[in-house]
Amino acid sequence: MVFGGVQAVAGVALLSRLYYLQFVHGAEFKTLAEGNRAGATWLHVAGALLLAGRLMHPFGLKVAQPSHPMRIAGNTASLLAMLSMVVCLLVTLFQR
């Protein structure tokens, strides 16, 4: 019972800290891309690729066939999302 109380206190402390960072000081904590004034198009393309990859990947998790095309497409889309954000950060970095 003691550990349950400790977990509850830790959970409340975590939630209060998240609230404080998100809503009280939210303008100070932007994502790296938003902070470097990346365009909305970059963020939407990367988000759409990541979402598509995350949706495709579970359908390719077949034990009998580890190299299922949906699994490969899902991983590739996730990696392309990350790569597009790296390119976005490099482009916005050198545009200043």
Side-chain angles (χ1 to χ4, degrees):
M1 191 66 171
V2 172
F3 291 117
V6 171
Q7 287 177 345
V9 169
V12 169
L14 178 65
L15 288 176
S16 64
R17 182 70 176 160
L18 287 174
Y19 172 79
Y20 176 76
L21 292 175
Q22 287 284 331
F23 299 107
V24 177
H25 292 287
E28 298 173 22
F29 299 101
K30 295 181 179 178
T31 64
L32 188 58
E34 289 172 331
N36 283 332
R37 287 168 275 165
T41 305
W42 285 96
L43 296 172
H44 284 96
V45 166
L49 275 171
L50 187 62
L51 181 65
R54 295 295 178 178
L55 289 174
M56 282 189 284
H57 186 262
F59 293 108
L61 293 176
K62 309 287 185 212
V63 176
Q65 188 182 10
S67 61
H68 194 274
M70 291 292 275
R71 185 176 189 177
I72 295 169
N75 282 334
T76 303
S78 295
L79 290 173
L80 284 175
M82 181 184 62
L83 184 63
S84 71
M85 288 313 306
V86 168
V87 170
C88 169
L89 288 172
L90 289 174
V91 167
T92 55
L93 178 69
F94 291 116
Q95 282 183 348
R96 291 182 181 183

